[in-house]
Amino acid sequence: NHNRVVERCLRIVVGNLAHTDAFFGRWKEIFEWVRPEGGTVGFPRLNAPIPVDQFVSELVRQEGVLLLPGTFFGDSSNRFRIGLGRRTLPAALERLDAFIGRRLA
């Protein structure tokens, strides 16, 4: 079953990379996105006049989307962690898109 599990995970991550590339491409002025080259986690920078801790706190309260701020990992450059391995990522990106449209656009 190892090969089947790996293939399934790879399909999810590759599909989610397409979604995240499109999402961050729409919001280039808000985020700095560097596509991960070999992992399942991205660490984009929020380029908006709001601390990332406040941004992710408002996002989870308003949209139910949980992102971990970079400060959780000792980073102070206004970044957050986004995992690419969940099948629900496209729906989460839709909610994030709506939130940004209301909060930052």
Side-chain angles (χ1 to χ4, degrees):
N1 291 330
H2 171 64
N3 288 343
R4 285 191 350 204
V5 171
V6 169
E7 288 172 12
R8 177 188 172 273
C9 291
L10 187 57
R11 277 193 311 272
I12 291 170
V13 170
V14 168
N16 283 343
L17 278 170
H19 288 287
T20 53
D21 287 343
F23 171 82
F24 289 116
R26 283 192 305 277
W27 295 107
K28 288 179 183 177
E29 68 281 358
I30 303 290
F31 300 104
E32 178 185 319
W33 170 242
V34 176
R35 187 181 222 243
E37 292 185 20
T40 62
V41 175
F43 208 51
R45 180 190 314 268
L46 174 63
N47 293 327
I50 178 174
V52 73
D53 293 307
Q54 181 181 343
F55 176 80
V56 299
S57 180
E58 289 178 19
L59 176 63
V60 75
R61 278 195 320 272
Q62 294 179 28
E63 294 293 338
V65 174
L66 178 63
L67 297 173
L68 288 176
T71 54
F72 185 81
F73 304 100
D75 180 85
S76 61
S77 62
N78 227 36
R79 294 181 180 273
F80 58 92
R81 178 194 180 277
I82 186 166
L84 303 170
R86 299 185 60 104
R87 290 183 301 170
T88 57
L89 183 61
L93 289 173
E94 288 178 15
R95 289 177 168 202
L96 178 55
D97 190 70
F99 175 76
I100 293 166
R102 287 191 316 274
R103 179 66 170 85
L104 299 175

